[in-house]
Amino acid sequence: MKEETVIFAIIMLLCLTSVVSTSGVASFYAEPYIPSACGHSENITNIISVSDALWDKRNACGRKYTVWCKPESSSEGIFQPCTSDVAINVYGYDVTVVDYCGQCNGFTMLLSKEVFSALTNTNQGNIQVEYLLQSN
């Protein structure tokens, strides 16, 4: 009975996430992560820099998102690999907005190299992501 409850809760979470999450394209950037447009000075790496689409006139500073790698095939049939870590692919990776990257070279966000590496191999260069704004 207990296992059924846990499985049901996970399925419900996945259904909710797929309904309210947003998709975008992410790349990564490497240290140094400071200074930043948000005045970020902590030594943490679960961070992102966001484009105009998420910046919200500097109100994005400190917002927390959960980010997932979104495996998909391109029009050429090339499969985008995500990490094989089931926990990250199911629950995502929690990040905090600490910087602004303007147009971000066409990307929705730039993930810290550490977060990007947790989602996929850095040789990918960029990946499709789903992201969800966490409620405070």
Side-chain angles (χ1 to χ4, degrees):
M1 183 69 149
K2 196 174 192 178
E3 285 180 15
E4 293 172 359
T5 304
V6 171
I7 291 170
F8 178 75
I10 290 172
I11 291 171
M12 291 303 293
L13 177 66
L14 290 173
C15 289
L16 268 174
T17 300
S18 65
V19 171
V20 295
S21 65
T22 306
S23 295
V25 180
S27 190
F28 67 94
Y29 67 121
E31 293 186 74
Y33 299 126
I34 50 177
S36 76
C38 296
H40 168 71
S41 61
E42 297 177 64
N43 189 22
I44 59 171
T45 56
N46 295 359
I47 58 175
I48 61 173
S49 179
V50 297
S51 68
D52 289 327
L54 298 175
W55 184 237
D56 190 22
K57 299 177 183 168
R58 195 181 206 93
N59 290 316
C61 289
R63 284 186 183 157
K64 298 188 182 304
Y65 287 90
T66 302
V67 180
W68 298 267
C69 179
K70 183 179 174 185
E72 64 178 47
S73 295
S74 68
S75 57
E76 296 83 33
I78 300 169
F79 185 73
Q80 168 184 286
C82 295
T83 182
S84 60
D85 187 332
V86 174
I88 291 173
N89 289 327
V90 172
Y91 299 109
Y93 211 88
D94 295 336
V95 295
T96 303
V97 175
V98 299
D99 211 352
Y100 172 64
C101 60
Q103 294 300 317
C104 293
N105 293 323
F107 301 113
T108 309
M109 63 183 65
L110 299 178
L111 308 169
S112 68
K113 187 174 183 179
E114 292 81 0
V115 171
F116 192 91
S117 297
L119 297 175
T120 191
N121 187 313
T122 55
N123 291 335
Q124 286 298 111
N126 64 74
I127 55 172
Q128 292 289 322
V129 291
E130 288 190 40
Y131 55 95
L132 175 66
L133 179 63
Q134 298 177 3
S135 59
N136 293 333

